[in-house]
Amino acid sequence: MSQDNKVAMVGTPCQIIAAEKMNHFQDVLGESPVDLKVGLFCMENFSYHYLNQLLEEHHIQLKDVSECRVEKGHMWFYLTDGQVLKIPLKEAKTCMRKNCEVCMDYTSELSDLSVGSVGSPAGWSTVIARTVKGLELLKNAEESNYIETRPMTDSGIALIKKLSNQKKEENQKEINKRERVARPVIYRRFITDKQFQEEVAQCQFEDLKADVIDVGTCVLCGSCEYICPENIVKIEDRKPRIRGQCPPDCNLCYVACPRTYLPVEVASPDLDQKPLGDYMKIVSAKASLVKGQDGGVATALLNYALSGGLVNEVLVVDKSSAEPWKPEVKLTSSTDDVLKASGTKYAACPVFKGLKNMKEEL
């Protein structure tokens, strides 16, 4: 992949934080992997392994699931034979990854554009433009008939704020609980860029393991494997591991991780008091040319970015052909591939690990 390529990604809030952090520290890390960030609304993510077990307890195989949705307090599994399995979220939360319990971001506050179904009518999505780049993309995509938009209702916005505040309040309690038992959540300890550089100067993978992986805050984004110059950090058995010795003075995995210190220049502590984060515009939208989950808006926006030359490739998460519903990263310049990958997978996926593998193949 050429260094001149511009890559768009669609991801969960924690993956978006990783991308933004790597963008912010590109002078230290040597590159900035993502140019355009489309973030998803996300209350929690699930372990593929345990989700599979949960379905087996209900005598369902993942290969028989055609669609999965989370809404109205349940996980809905639509089966290929026409049946529908409804599992209460309270039961499904046994499959939730523990790192989700300390996430304070519901609407992907550091993205260029955030997309989610909550707050908009059926068949439409809520779109939040947060940056000039995101606002221009939204405007141009509508003018080019990729999407259509309409104003959000006050009740729709209120619902998003309610759910966002609920996540922030509940997870802050968990963060406080972990702090009391000496399992600190250091990404919530906001420091300046200068303090960050001083704090992490001597940090290597063993520090990442102690501060993030062992205390259960790793989001499995793959940024540590992506940025490792020695190719010795690997995501194995659902967690990062090291297969070798870090070179002297290398702290890149610690710098890139979204769950180590988060400088205030990347994310202000004020965001905790803003249920929607900082934004420039919020609308309901649906795709004009494609069909997809909740209006197909994320797919339409990414395809417009590709077709319009704003980006050269898109990092998407498709379903594995070998293991049903297991997320699989794909870097593509094909709008057909973007369309094929549409729909939420609801399981953690090391997106930057996949990006690194694809870069090495090209």
Side-chain angles (χ1 to χ4, degrees):
M1 184 170 66
S2 167
Q3 292 296 317
D4 295 329
N5 268 17
K6 292 186 176 182
V7 175
M9 73 172 289
V10 57
T12 58
C14 52
Q15 294 167 349
I16 295 297
I17 292 174
E20 180 62 17
K21 196 175 180 186
M22 285 191 279
N23 286 350
H24 184 74
F25 287 114
Q26 59 184 291
D27 290 343
V28 176
L29 300 173
E31 63 173 298
S32 173
V34 175
D35 187 71
L36 174 68
K37 305 179 297 297
V38 177
L40 303 173
F41 291 9
C42 180
M43 189 63 78
E44 65 269 303
N45 215 334
F46 301 91
S47 160
Y48 176 81
H49 175 74
Y50 291 117
L51 195 58
N52 195 16
Q53 285 187 350
L54 177 65
L55 285 176
E56 288 179 351
E57 291 172 6
H58 288 268
H59 310 292
I60 298 295
Q61 299 293 317
L62 270 173
K63 65 180 179 63
D64 297 323
V65 176
S66 62
E67 184 181 353
C68 175
R69 302 176 68 89
V70 174
E71 58 187 10
K72 299 179 180 178
H74 291 80
M75 288 196 79
W76 302 74
F77 296 92
Y78 297 85
L79 309 184
T80 53
D81 63 3
Q83 296 186 64
V84 179
L85 173 65
K86 181 175 70 171
I87 299 178
L89 269 180
K90 287 185 178 180
E91 181 181 353
K93 280 185 181 291
T94 59
C95 307
M96 186 177 79
R97 287 180 53 81
K98 296 304 179 185
N99 63 277
C100 296
E101 296 177 343
V102 297
C103 176
M104 297 286 283
D105 187 352
Y106 173 58
T107 60
S108 290
E109 295 165 358
L110 300 188
S111 61
D112 295 298
L113 288 163
S114 301
V115 180
S117 63
V118 174
S120 289
W124 293 70
S125 285
T126 299
V127 181
I128 305 175
R130 302 188 181 279
T131 64
V132 172
K133 183 186 298 182
L135 186 63
E136 290 180 350
L137 175 59
L138 180 66
K139 174 177 176 289
N140 293 336
E142 182 173 20
E143 290 178 351
S144 299
N145 295 319
Y146 275 74
I147 62 171
E148 58 179 291
T149 71
R150 66 188 193 187
M152 289 283 297
T153 63
D154 291 341
S155 60
I157 294 175
L159 177 58
I160 302 170
K161 288 182 176 180
K162 176 183 176 181
L163 292 176
S164 180
N165 281 330
Q166 177 183 319
K167 179 174 182 176
K168 290 176 186 285
E169 291 168 6
E170 289 182 358
N171 289 2
Q172 184 60 57
K173 292 177 183 177
E174 176 64 23
I175 291 170
N176 295 342
K177 176 182 174 182
R178 294 192 186 193
E179 292 281 353
R180 288 195 296 270
V181 295
R183 292 174 69 86
V185 181
I186 62 173
Y187 95 100
R188 302 302 302 162
R189 297 182 177 181
F190 296 96
I191 57 180
T192 66
D193 267 351
K194 182 179 179 181
Q195 291 171 323
F196 180 87
Q197 297 283 7
E198 295 171 351
E199 189 71 36
V200 308
Q202 304 301 318
C203 292
Q204 296 196 306
F205 182 83
E206 288 306 312
D207 301 286
L208 184 70
K209 182 175 183 295
D211 293 344
V212 176
I213 301 166
D214 289 349
V215 298
T217 58
C218 172
V219 303
L220 207 69
C221 67
S223 61
C224 53
E225 179 170 339
Y226 174 83
I227 209 64
C228 178
E230 302 296 314
N231 292 323
I232 57 176
V233 176
K234 302 292 182 182
I235 305 290
E236 297 176 353
D237 191 27
R238 303 191 295 276
K239 67 170 59 177
R241 302 179 187 275
I242 192 166
R243 296 290 181 248
Q245 186 70 37
C246 288
D249 302 323
C250 182
N251 64 350
L252 300 190
C253 63
Y254 201 93
V255 171
C257 177
R259 288 299 184 252
T260 61
Y261 299 99
L262 198 58
V264 294
E265 290 85 353
V266 175
S268 168
D270 293 344
L271 290 176
D272 288 352
Q273 280 69 54
K274 299 176 181 179
L276 299 184
D278 292 322
Y279 67 96
M280 304 176 74
K281 187 174 184 178
I282 180 169
V283 295
S284 289
K286 68 176 181 179
S288 303
L289 304 176
V290 299
K291 291 184 179 180
Q293 185 169 322
D294 303 318
V297 173
T299 300
L301 290 170
L302 291 171
N303 278 346
Y304 172 76
L306 268 178
S307 301
L310 302 178
V311 298
N312 307 99
E313 295 177 293
V314 176
L315 187 66
V316 295
V317 178
D318 202 351
K319 294 191 289 288
S320 168
S321 57
E323 299 179 79
W325 281 91
K326 187 169 187 178
E328 184 174 79
V329 180
K330 178 177 289 187
L331 183 67
T332 182
S333 58
S334 165
T335 56
D336 289 338
D337 284 344
V338 176
L339 179 59
K340 179 177 176 292
S342 63
T344 307
K345 311 305 182 294
Y346 296 109
C349 179
V351 291
F352 295 106
K353 169 187 172 73
L355 179 59
K356 180 168 187 171
N357 292 342
M358 290 167 201
K359 286 179 63 177
E360 291 173 346
E361 292 171 2
L362 296 174

